[in-house]
Amino acid sequence: MSSSLRSPSSASLTSSLQAKRCNLARASLPNHSLKPRKFSPRMRVSASGSVSSVETKIITELDSVSAFSEIVPDTVVFDDFERFPPTAATVSSSLILGITGLPDTKFKSAIETALADSECCKGADPQARLSCFFDKALVNVGADLAKLVPGRVSTEVDARLAYDTEGIVNKVHSLLKLYADVDVSPDRLLFKIPSTWEGIEASRILEAEGIQTHLTFVYSFPQAAAAAQAGASVIQIFVGRLRDWARTHSGDPAIDAAISRGDDPGLSLVTKAYNYIHKHGYKTKLMATAVRNKQDVFSLLGVDYIVAPLKILQSLKESVADPEEKYSFTRRLSPSSAQTFHFAEDELAGWDRASFAAEVGPAADELLSRGVEGYVAQTRRVEEFLGKIWPPPNV
């Protein structure tokens, strides 16, 4: 692939990389001229000499960043919906675990209804029955979420199928049928699939059928480019996790190249993926997640979605800027600026299994595998819990 994806060869560059890696946690990011100040109402002096305040709308940092990117709260705590109403939602194994651990929640009945499903209860094989209960629970909670958010609901696909293209496609078809049974339209749905090669191929098949997919655990440019070429509706890059990996590892050509330029590897990948998508006209939307601070948010302005923790959203909401400074927030990513971004010829070629495996890089290999294993473990925990409480009292 391109030189930006190859390991530096000189000893001097290696030494430089080591020094920069040690300082990565402290490295300052580009200055975006973001110096919000507390807003004080302007005063008006009348002809009689009396003073009155002029009512003006208070503009917060959250208002300002929301003008460039859709800000999505990273939360499964339902009481926070009023403070930061989500525009979209994800139903996952971790969410189901969270629901089962709460004493009282509006989604509890969705779990109980799943456990009482007659089709699942007929299953003779215990594991198949638990898998059926889990799918029903995902869909019931997803249907409830679809009533609460105006946007799409992304539904996690069983991560045990992450390396099985046919299995992923069949599972999505099954989930779609369950959603149809509870009157949720396909246009309100995404299906969240790990970005293994098999997952990307499943996305290609499903998108060709008009089914929207959400590829997660993207940690490298080959994953992002292959996902865009497959027509994925959304791809999700974990900014902070790449930064964390880079602090304690070396040997990934793309990450080493970013650090040698003085760039943050996570932000650099989002920039490259965004520019690739927009320069070459792919329909894919880009989601940046695992942001660690407000500066990450400011550095990502213009990306389609930013998933931010509540503490960051609260800080943005509490930071007030003078309305005249609203446009001092600089858009970092835009379709027009993407046109000037240079890609090597081999980066523009179509990806296949062999080139993907050769170029994806050690960081993506490790982090993708870790993510899949985590999802699998959570799914098993959910099924074990459902097995313990089944059958419910009314069955």
Side-chain angles (χ1 to χ4, degrees):
M1 301 307 295
S2 72
S3 60
S4 65
L5 294 177
R6 297 195 181 98
S7 299
S9 58
S10 70
S12 61
L13 181 54
T14 300
S15 176
S16 175
L17 286 179
Q18 290 172 343
K20 290 176 180 177
R21 194 181 307 280
C22 291
N23 292 324
L24 184 58
R26 301 191 302 271
S28 60
L29 295 172
N31 177 17
H32 305 292
S33 302
L34 299 176
K35 298 180 179 179
R37 49 191 189 194
K38 294 294 181 182
F39 169 68
S40 300
R42 292 196 179 93
M43 310 307 289
R44 173 180 294 159
V45 181
S46 68
S48 63
S50 62
V51 179
S52 63
S53 63
V54 179
E55 287 190 10
T56 54
K57 183 180 179 182
I58 294 177
I59 302 297
T60 67
E61 287 184 343
L62 184 57
D63 296 324
S64 296
V65 299
S66 296
F68 299 106
S69 299
E70 184 170 327
I71 309 299
V72 181
D74 186 6
T75 179
V76 296
V77 181
F78 309 113
D79 290 343
D80 292 318
F81 278 22
E82 292 185 4
R83 282 197 298 151
F84 302 105
T87 56
T90 297
V91 56
S92 62
S93 50
S94 61
L95 178 59
I96 301 298
L97 280 174
I99 292 170
T100 58
L102 294 173
D104 185 27
T105 166
K106 67 181 74 176
F107 299 99
K108 206 81 166 183
S109 63
I111 307 295
E112 294 170 351
T113 302
L115 289 171
D117 184 82
S118 59
E119 291 299 317
C120 294
C121 292
K122 290 177 184 177
D125 177 57
Q127 182 55 49
R129 186 167 58 236
L130 290 176
S131 180
C132 182
F133 288 146
F134 178 52
D135 287 349
K136 288 280 187 178
L138 282 173
V139 167
N140 289 347
V141 173
D144 285 346
L145 287 170
K147 299 172 185 175
L148 296 175
V149 300
R152 295 175 292 187
V153 174
S154 184
T155 302
E156 179 184 304
V157 176
D158 192 334
R160 290 170 293 193
L161 302 170
Y163 300 94
D164 178 357
T165 296
E166 184 179 358
I168 292 169
V169 171
N170 290 338
K171 175 64 74 174
V172 170
H173 287 161
S174 174
L175 292 170
L176 262 178
K177 183 179 183 303
L178 295 179
Y179 271 115
D181 291 342
V182 291
D183 298 321
V184 179
S185 173
D187 63 359
R188 296 293 313 283
L189 299 170
L190 288 161
F191 292 93
K192 191 173 184 180
I193 301 167
S195 56
T196 58
W197 176 255
E198 294 79 4
I200 293 170
E201 283 299 287
S203 173
R204 185 190 306 278
I205 293 168
L206 292 165
E207 293 282 353
E209 297 175 359
I211 299 169
Q212 300 175 105
T213 60
H214 168 183
L215 285 170
T216 189
F217 300 142
V218 174
Y219 296 105
S220 68
F221 178 72
Q223 287 176 292
Q229 291 175 7
S233 295
V234 176
I235 65 173
Q236 184 173 0
I237 295 177
F238 293 77
V239 175
R241 293 184 190 177
L242 272 172
R243 180 183 306 151
D244 295 342
W245 191 93
R247 286 179 179 139
T248 55
H249 298 75
S250 62
D252 186 293
I255 289 178
D256 290 346
I259 294 171
S260 72
R261 297 190 303 268
D263 295 339
D264 176 273
L267 298 174
S268 177
L269 176 57
V270 172
T271 299
K272 189 171 185 177
Y274 179 94
N275 289 333
Y276 179 81
I277 289 166
H278 285 275
K279 185 170 185 176
H280 301 289
Y282 294 109
K283 71 168 189 176
T284 303
K285 301 294 185 183
L286 189 59
M287 174 182 289
T289 190
V291 299
R292 302 296 195 221
N293 48 57
K294 290 200 296 185
Q295 188 62 56
D296 280 347
V297 175
F298 300 148
S299 299
L300 291 163
L301 293 183
V303 74
D304 300 290
Y305 308 104
I306 301 174
V307 182
L310 294 182
K311 65 178 182 180
I312 294 178
L313 295 184
Q314 190 65 42
S315 179
L316 291 168
K317 189 175 182 179
E318 291 173 351
S319 299
V320 181
D322 189 301
E324 292 183 357
E325 294 181 351
K326 176 180 178 181
Y327 299 104
S328 66
F329 288 74
T330 304
R331 179 166 186 163
R332 307 294 297 172
L333 302 169
S334 69
S336 58
S337 63
Q339 303 310 309
T340 64
F341 195 91
H342 174 71
F343 290 93
E345 185 175 343
D346 54 357
E347 291 179 320
L348 304 178
W351 293 87
D352 57 26
R353 183 187 294 273
S355 61
F356 182 86
E359 297 292 342
V360 72
D365 275 338
E366 180 181 331
L367 293 170
L368 172 60
S369 296
R370 189 188 303 170
V372 169
E373 290 168 3
Y375 273 21
V376 168
Q378 288 175 165
T379 298
R380 288 175 176 156
R381 285 177 61 193
V382 172
E383 291 180 345
E384 289 171 5
F385 177 84
L386 295 177
K388 289 177 182 177
I389 64 175
W390 186 84
N394 59 340
V395 175

